[in-house]
Amino acid sequence: FHARCLQCLQCPRMDLCHVPATREKGWYLALMAPNVKGPNYAWLDPSRLYCHPQGLQDCVADLLQPFQGDAIDMVAGIDAMGFILGAAAAATLRKGFLAIRKAGHLCVQTVAQPYSDYSGREKVMEVRTDAIAPGLRILLVDQWVETGGTMRAAIELVERLGGGRAPLCVPTGVATICIENSEGGKWIQERYKCSHCVPPRLQPRFDQHQ
């Protein structure tokens, strides 16, 4: 991390104008804010980096770089924080954006998928049935993969609607700021093309929530 970026973690306000002279992949991770509210919350708040214009641009660029040259028809983002990165990725790619919602918000015909989130809570997500056709190539985007339950449920939704027909595989890939080396995270990385922003040297710290 750049020394000045590290100061952002302690400062009450972020310097939105400061950009490091050398922007290595993941420099913007230092803009994220640590948990100050206790164990009922996630250990880190990535959304703080979205406030920094260059940080957000570089984050999206890094997420999309591994998919350059890949055929992508649509970007799907997972409720709720995946909406931010997903919509930004869709705009960059000039593709449409599909919202994968928590159950109970869509007034049209949907298909639902139960899942357990990172905290172990049982939830249900759903997606509209008129947007995904067999063979559509979809990039799935979320903010974070911890246990993998949420992303795996989104993958299953897309594959159910798309039929998972070869040679046009759906989903095309998974993009998220961090994929932890949990059992669920490994399951996703072993089966799908994945992109994340954490440098290998820092991955153990993220896995241990440090």
Side-chain angles (χ1 to χ4, degrees):
F1 290 129
H2 192 279
R4 186 166 178 180
C5 288
L6 281 174
Q7 295 175 5
C8 293
L9 293 176
Q10 286 81 39
C11 295
R13 295 184 185 276
M14 185 190 308
D15 183 354
L16 297 178
C17 296
H18 173 68
V19 178
T22 301
R23 304 201 313 270
E24 298 179 355
K25 179 181 177 180
W27 71 268
Y28 40 79
L29 297 175
L31 298 170
M32 299 188 296
N35 177 357
V36 297
K37 290 189 174 181
N40 292 332
Y41 294 84
W43 72 282
L44 192 67
D45 175 29
S47 69
R48 192 166 184 258
L49 79 83
Y50 307 153
C51 301
H52 193 289
Q54 191 64 56
L56 177 59
Q57 289 182 54
D58 287 357
C59 177
V60 172
D62 287 343
L63 286 176
L64 294 179
Q65 195 280 329
F67 300 102
Q68 287 186 359
D70 291 358
I72 296 173
D73 299 311
M74 182 182 292
V75 177
I78 301 173
D79 198 342
M81 300 308 292
F83 291 170
I84 299 169
L85 287 178
T92 300
L93 294 171
R94 297 180 180 272
K95 301 296 181 181
F97 175 76
L98 174 66
I100 298 179
R101 302 295 310 272
K102 293 172 184 173
H105 295 288
L106 290 170
C107 63
V108 295
Q109 186 175 357
T110 62
V111 60
Q113 179 68 40
Y115 69 101
S116 297
D117 69 6
Y118 69 93
S119 67
R121 290 175 292 185
E122 296 295 324
K123 296 182 178 180
V124 177
M125 67 172 58
E126 61 183 7
V127 66
R128 61 189 311 129
T129 59
D130 59 356
I132 300 178
L136 203 64
R137 295 156 296 198
I138 296 177
L139 177 64
L140 279 160
V141 180
D142 201 2
Q143 178 171 265
W144 208 271
V145 171
E146 188 168 333
T147 63
T150 303
M151 181 59 73
R152 187 165 178 173
I155 290 171
E156 291 174 357
L157 274 179
V158 168
E159 292 183 337
R160 282 169 58 192
L161 285 173
R165 297 182 182 178
L168 302 182
C169 300
V170 288
T172 296
V174 170
T176 178
I177 291 176
C178 175
I179 302 178
E180 296 184 22
N181 281 323
S182 59
E183 181 179 348
K186 292 176 181 176
W187 186 93
I188 292 167
Q189 293 187 85
E190 288 169 357
R191 290 164 174 79
Y192 301 93
K193 184 173 183 177
C194 294
S195 172
H196 65 91
C197 303
V198 178
R201 63 184 178 84
L202 293 179
Q203 186 68 47
R205 294 180 60 185
F206 280 82
D207 293 338
Q208 297 166 27
H209 292 184
Q210 297 177 349

